[in-house]
């Protein structure tokens, strides 16, 4: 065979049926790998999505529907819940108790968030330093957060009792007061007392999250600031606070959403009294549903509370998006 014939044989065109077979196998393999990846992802995410739909999505949807129905205790036996339209919302919004509960909710939320955040930030800054037993003290701070809320409320109710409470005994014994202070039975003190207890419970959450955020700030920034002669306040204002702002946004949003739905502490301490002085939207929804068994109006108050939480979270995150990006 000549050299020309060999060259023609090696450069001969591929038959139409055989063209591209060398590239088909990798292409099929890549598609199979992509499908396997999607299947594995679905197997991991599927149970979580199913759990969210069953235990979060369905209750929320059912609560929204219930807010437009005359849903009472007889509905559980008859299965009938007549459509009420907006009447549940109208009755709730026009009742004097709703205005009192809404005002108390604002005061309770703002007071709790301010106290928890300021105390938590102070503790986070304090524990940023290294000193003996600092780790043990940080662990002890978590105790209020770890104690079940109903247990904490029972303990505080005993401590704040007007006649036999430990706090009043200490105050009377030290001569600071002549008689026991009605911490939980006075309409002027009850809401303030509940706020103080809720601050005590929420401080660990704020302190731990803010302390974690402080650990991510590079120490070189403070060293450069000390070389330029910055004071502690200037270092906090120009270094710590701007770097900590994303964490602050998360803490405040979660704190407000959590505080709006606080129920255990108020029920355990005052049950919304005295004379509705500590009644909030969360306790009103609970009492409408499980005291008067008007589940339709209770669901309406709950839906209003959910809407307030969503609006606050959306507005706050929107307002803080640009400063955080900068």
């Amino acid at each position: 065979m000549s050299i020309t014939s060999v060259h023609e044989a090696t450069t001969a065109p591929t038959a139409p049926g055989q063209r591209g077979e060398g590239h088909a196998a990798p292409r099929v393999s890549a598609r199979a790998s992509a499908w396997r990846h999607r299947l594995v992802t679905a197997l991991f995410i599927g149970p979580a999505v199913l759990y969210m739909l069953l235990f979060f999505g369905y209750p929320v949807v059912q609560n929204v529907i219930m807010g437009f129905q005359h849903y009472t205790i007889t509905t559980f036996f008859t299965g009938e819940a007549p459509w009420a339209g907006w009447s549940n919302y109208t009755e709730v919004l026009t009742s004097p108790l709703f205005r009192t509960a809404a005002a108390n909710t604002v005061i309770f939320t703002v007071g709790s968030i301010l106290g928890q955040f300021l105390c938590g930030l102070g503790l986070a800054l304090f524990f940023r330093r290294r000193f003996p037993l600092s780790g043990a003290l940080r662990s002890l701070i978590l105790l209020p957060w770890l104690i079940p809320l109903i247990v904490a409320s029972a303990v505080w109710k005993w401590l704040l009792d007007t006649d036999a409470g430990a706090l009043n005994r200490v105050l009377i014994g030290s001569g600071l007061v002549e008689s026991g202070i009605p911490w939980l039975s006075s309409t002027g003190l009850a809401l303030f007392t509940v706020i103080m207890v809720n601050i005590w419970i929420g401080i660990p959450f704020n302190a731990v999250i803010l302390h974690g955020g402080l650990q991510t700030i590079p120490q070189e920034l403070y060293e450069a600031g000390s070389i330029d002669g910055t004071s502690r306040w200037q270092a906090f204002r120009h270094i710590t606070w701007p770097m900590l702002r994303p964490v602050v946004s998360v803490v405040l949003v979660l704190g407000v959403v959590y505080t709006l739905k606080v129920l255990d502490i108020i029920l355990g301490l005052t049950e919304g009294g005295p004379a509705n002085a500590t009644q909030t939207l969360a306790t009103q929804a609970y009492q409408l549903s499980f005291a008067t068994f008007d589940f339709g109006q209770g669901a309406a108050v709950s839906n209003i509370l959910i809407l307030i939480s969503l609006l606050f979270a959306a507005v706050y995150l929107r307002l803080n998006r640009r400063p955080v990006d900068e």
Side-chain angles (χ1 to χ4, degrees):
M1 182 180 295
S2 64
I3 297 177
T4 304
S5 60
V6 172
H7 176 72
E8 292 176 354
T10 55
T11 59
T14 307
Q18 299 175 349
R19 182 171 297 175
E21 289 183 357
H23 299 282
R27 192 172 300 171
V28 173
S29 178
R31 291 180 179 177
S33 178
W35 277 108
R36 285 196 298 268
H37 177 72
R38 293 177 182 177
L39 179 60
V40 172
T41 303
L43 290 176
F44 276 103
I45 299 179
V49 173
L50 182 61
Y51 175 83
M52 293 291 292
L53 291 176
L54 288 177
F55 295 98
F56 290 93
Y58 173 76
V60 170
V61 173
Q62 184 63 30
N63 196 76
V64 171
I65 297 174
M66 193 183 299
F68 294 96
Q69 296 176 322
H70 286 298
Y71 205 104
T72 61
I73 195 170
T74 58
T75 305
F76 292 97
F77 301 98
T78 62
E80 298 178 357
W83 190 255
W86 294 97
S87 62
N88 288 329
Y89 291 92
T90 301
E91 293 181 15
V92 165
L93 293 174
T94 56
S95 65
L97 181 57
F98 179 82
R99 292 190 289 271
T100 301
N104 290 340
T105 301
V106 173
I107 297 172
F108 178 77
T109 302
V110 173
S112 298
I113 293 301
L114 286 177
Q116 293 172 0
F117 179 78
L118 293 177
C119 293
L121 180 60
L123 288 173
L125 293 172
F126 175 77
F127 282 110
R128 194 179 185 185
R129 307 173 182 177
R130 295 291 182 179
F131 57 89
L133 300 179
S134 61
L137 291 177
R138 284 201 305 268
S139 302
L140 291 176
I141 290 178
L142 293 174
L143 287 179
W145 185 258
L146 298 177
I147 298 176
L149 294 180
I150 195 64
V151 175
S153 62
V155 173
W156 275 104
K157 188 173 184 178
W158 170 75
L159 291 173
L160 299 171
D161 186 76
T162 304
D163 301 322
L167 180 58
N168 280 335
R169 288 189 176 185
V170 171
L171 294 176
I172 295 174
S174 60
L176 297 176
V177 296
E178 296 181 357
S179 59
I181 300 175
W183 299 103
L184 299 175
S185 57
S186 170
T187 55
L189 286 176
L191 184 59
F192 169 80
T193 304
V194 173
I195 291 174
M196 291 297 104
V197 174
N198 193 56
I199 289 175
W200 176 81
I201 292 174
I203 286 175
F205 173 79
N206 287 259
V208 170
I209 302 299
L210 293 173
H211 183 268
L214 290 173
Q215 301 304 309
T216 63
I217 301 177
Q219 190 64 28
E220 291 80 6
L221 297 178
Y222 295 101
E223 295 175 356
S226 62
I227 295 175
D228 294 336
T230 58
S231 63
R232 291 185 176 180
W233 168 248
Q234 290 174 334
F236 175 80
R237 180 181 178 183
H238 298 289
I239 299 176
T240 304
W241 184 254
M243 298 293 290
L244 197 63
R245 192 174 297 173
V247 179
V248 171
S249 299
V250 174
V251 169
L252 291 180
V253 169
L254 293 179
V256 169
V257 172
Y258 172 78
T259 305
L260 284 174
K261 66 181 184 63
V262 167
L263 179 66
D264 312 62
I265 293 297
I266 299 177
L267 290 181
L269 291 174
T270 62
E271 297 183 1
N276 297 320
T278 59
Q279 192 79 255
T280 63
L281 293 179
T283 58
Q284 184 186 9
Y286 173 83
Q287 291 182 355
L288 284 172
S289 298
F290 302 104
T292 61
F293 299 107
D294 193 337
F295 297 99
Q297 292 190 20
V301 177
S302 300
N303 294 330
I304 294 173
L305 201 56
I306 293 173
L307 182 61
I308 293 173
S309 301
L310 293 176
L311 288 176
F312 171 82
V315 171
Y316 186 84
L317 292 176
R318 179 67 178 178
L319 292 177
N320 283 270
R321 179 181 299 175
R322 183 176 300 174
V324 168
D325 292 340
E326 294 176 354

